[in-house]
Structure formats: structure tokens, C-alpha cells
Amino acid sequence: LSGLNWDERQHLHPDERFLTMVVTAERWPGSLGEYLDEARSPLNPRNVGFPYFTYGTLPTTLVKGLSLLLARSGYDEVPLVGRTASALADLGSLVFLVLFAQRLYRDRRIALLAGALFAVSVLPIQHAHFFVVDTFTTCFVTAALWTLVGARPGAWRPYAVTGLLFGLALACKLSVYPFAIVIAAFVVQTEDSDEIRPAVARLALAGMATFIAFRLAQPDAFAGPG
């Protein structure tokens, strides 16, 4: 978070530069209905001059909202807001990783080692210095893992929360969809009943929560009314 303008407004990262152009061109919708309508939403990159957009829109929506809130919505200011959000998301990934390892192994030494290894890894450090979608995706997935391993046989809430976090991760980067296999495998392994119905019900709950979160966080993926 120190020296965010380290590149002196040269916009050196192509992904960051593209996301900055999108966020700068976007406008905040006037209503929830306009936001959810992909054909009219000013937060849909395809409606503001960027027909080819392969990222999730949750990071751009978050950074647009923050830039307006902080009155830093200019082309040279958006990357600084985005980098701040990206660094905080990366820090969130670190925290959730430590908590996940502690909950999984019940050994503080392993949890601290996992956090230390993540903290000195090259790619997370690089991403934390740029406004990119990867840091947001990783944060939501790591939080989902922490929530998932806390589920006990017969529990329902952890699967709903895991589904919500997974949906938010998908709204950042759709290629994280194989994480659904991890959720399914965990449900099958954790459920101690011989009946298949409880496991199916919990998977359905997680799937429903994922859909709701993804629908709200990335409305441009759905056709609007009519």
C-alpha cells in the first residue's frame, strides 16, 4: 500500500490498463433494475464500448463504486484505487489461508508456515501491485475453502456461505468453475449417512447460493427482462 503510483502513471500492465479503461468509461446505474438488465446497465463493459470482455465484472464494479465514493474516478486515479483493493484482497487471501490451514490441520505451526510461503510467493506479490481480477478471485476461493472445512455432518449454513463465496469468485473469473468439484467431493466425504438425499440437498443448497451470488454479482451474464 506504500507508493501505489510506483510506475508514475505509465499504465504498464496491459490487463490493468484495459480494466482501467473499462472502469473509467462505466457509469453507476440509476436503479437496481437497470443494474440487473444487461442490455441497459452502464456497468456492463459491452454497453460502454468494450464488446470483448473476458473477465468477471465484480472487480470492475467494486472498483468503480470505490472510485466514485473516494472521488478518484479519473483515468490516472482508477489504477490507484484498483491497486489498493487488489492489495487488500491479497491480504485477505493470506488471512483466510492461515485460518484454513489452522482449521484443517489444527496445528498453528503449519498454519503460519502456509501463510509465510504464500507471503513470499512471486505471483501473489506481483498481482497485489496491480489492479487485476486474480487477487479478488483468490480471496473468495480461499474464504470458501475456510468456510467449507468448518462444515460438520448435518450442518447447512457452511454450504450456503461456501456457495455464496464461490458465486462471487465466479463473478471475478469464470475459469475457477472446477472448484465445484471440490465442494461436491467434500460433501460426499463429510456426510456420514448412508442415504444420498442429505448430500444431494446440501449440494443443491450450495448450488442455489452460488447461482444467486453470481446472478447479482455478474448480471451481464444473463439476458434481461424480455
Side-chain angles (χ1 to χ4, degrees), residues 21-151:
M21 294 167 61
V22 171
V23 172
T24 304
E26 289 178 335
R27 295 178 295 103
W28 200 255
S31 65
L32 179 62
E34 185 181 22
Y35 167 71
L36 294 175
D37 187 352
E38 58 87 23
R40 297 188 301 125
S41 175
L43 289 177
N44 184 350
R46 298 157 191 84
N47 294 335
V48 292
F50 298 91
Y52 185 73
F53 189 83
T54 60
Y55 307 96
T57 54
L58 179 56
T60 55
T61 299
L62 291 175
V63 172
K64 182 64 178 182
L66 288 174
S67 65
L68 292 174
L69 184 65
L70 299 172
R72 296 288 187 271
S73 56
Y75 179 70
D76 288 330
E77 297 171 320
V78 167
L80 305 185
V81 178
R83 289 174 184 179
T84 301
S86 184
L88 293 176
D90 186 69
L91 182 61
S93 298
L94 174 60
V95 171
F96 282 118
L97 174 63
V98 172
L99 294 175
F100 164 68
Q102 172 66 27
R103 180 173 280 180
L104 184 65
Y105 294 102
R106 302 183 184 279
D107 189 326
R108 184 174 299 178
R109 295 170 302 173
I110 295 178
L112 292 176
L113 177 61
L117 292 174
F118 182 85
V120 298
S121 297
V122 175
L123 191 59
I125 293 175
Q126 176 184 332
H127 283 162
H129 283 76
F130 292 100
F131 169 30
V132 289
V133 303
D134 306 82
T135 49
F136 300 91
T137 309
T138 305
C139 183
F140 287 125
V141 169
T142 312
L145 280 170
W146 171 65
T147 305
L148 188 63
V149 297

Side-chain angles (χ1 to χ4, degrees), residues 156 159 187 197-211:
W156 293 90
Y159 297 109
V187 172
R197 286 179 295 180
V200 172
R202 286 169 176 76
L203 282 175
L205 175 63
M208 185 182 303
T210 299
F211 175 79

Side-chain angles (χ1 to χ4, degrees), residues 144-212:
L145 280 170
W146 171 65
T147 305
L148 188 63
V149 297
R152 296 293 180 264
W156 293 90
R157 182 179 299 177
Y159 297 109
V161 177
T162 298
L164 288 172
L165 292 169
F166 181 36
L168 296 177
L170 288 171
C172 295
K173 196 169 187 179
L174 192 61
S175 59
V176 77
Y177 71 89
F179 185 69
I181 300 175
V182 176
I183 299 177
F186 184 86
V187 172
V188 172
Q189 182 180 10
T190 304
E191 190 59 49
D192 56 3
S193 175
D194 294 332
E195 296 186 11
I196 194 174
R197 286 179 295 180
V200 172
R202 286 169 176 76
L203 282 175
L205 175 63
M208 185 182 303
T210 299
F211 175 79
I212 292 173

